């Protein structure tokens, strides 16, 4: 299981939970990554991944990408409580 720390480095794209899925997709394309770290109050709370796009969003209606917030579809179950590495 990956932890938040596995995704954190100086090049990790970061967004906030209330931002739109369309913003995450653009950032992922721009950075060439399959995941974006989601933070709230300066703490990592989840990861938005390409898997979230495929599994949780109806891609037959692309207009929804501009209506769905990241917090509603981001992956939460792959995270551990600690964001630090040992």
């Amino acid at each position: 299981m990956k932890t938040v720390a596995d995704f954190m480095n100086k090049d990790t794209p970061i967004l906030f939970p209330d931002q739109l899925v369309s913003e995450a997709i653009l950032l992922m394309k721009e950075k060439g990554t399959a995941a974006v770290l989601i933070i709230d109050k300066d703490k990592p709370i989840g990861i938005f991944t390409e898997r979230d796009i495929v599994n949780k969003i109806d891609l037959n209606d692309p207009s929804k990408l501009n209506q769905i917030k990241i917090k509603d579809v981001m992956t939460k179950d792959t995270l551990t409580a600690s964001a630090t590495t040992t």
Side-chain angles (χ1 to χ4, degrees):
M1 178 186 307
K2 292 188 182 265
T3 67
V4 171
D6 294 325
F7 291 94
M8 295 179 70
N9 66 49
K10 65 181 177 123
D11 298 320
T12 301
I14 297 172
L15 290 175
F16 300 97
D18 285 326
Q19 288 185 262
L20 299 173
V21 167
S22 58
E23 295 175 90
I25 292 171
L26 287 175
L27 185 60
M28 288 163 57
K29 283 182 182 179
E30 178 184 300
K31 297 290 185 176
T33 185
V36 177
L37 183 64
I38 308 302
I39 64 168
D40 190 28
K41 298 177 184 160
D42 296 327
K43 296 195 186 291
I45 61 164
I47 299 165
F48 181 79
T49 67
E50 288 180 343
R51 184 179 70 188
D52 294 324
I53 297 166
V54 173
N55 292 340
K56 299 177 182 173
I57 299 172
D58 179 7
L59 295 177
N60 292 319
D61 187 0
S63 66
K64 290 187 178 184
L65 299 177
N66 291 320
Q67 300 169 0
I68 301 171
K69 292 185 179 183
I70 294 169
K71 69 181 177 185
D72 297 327
V73 294
M74 72 182 188
T75 299
K76 298 174 188 172
D77 58 345
T78 61
L79 303 178
T80 65
S82 174
T84 60
T85 57
T86 47

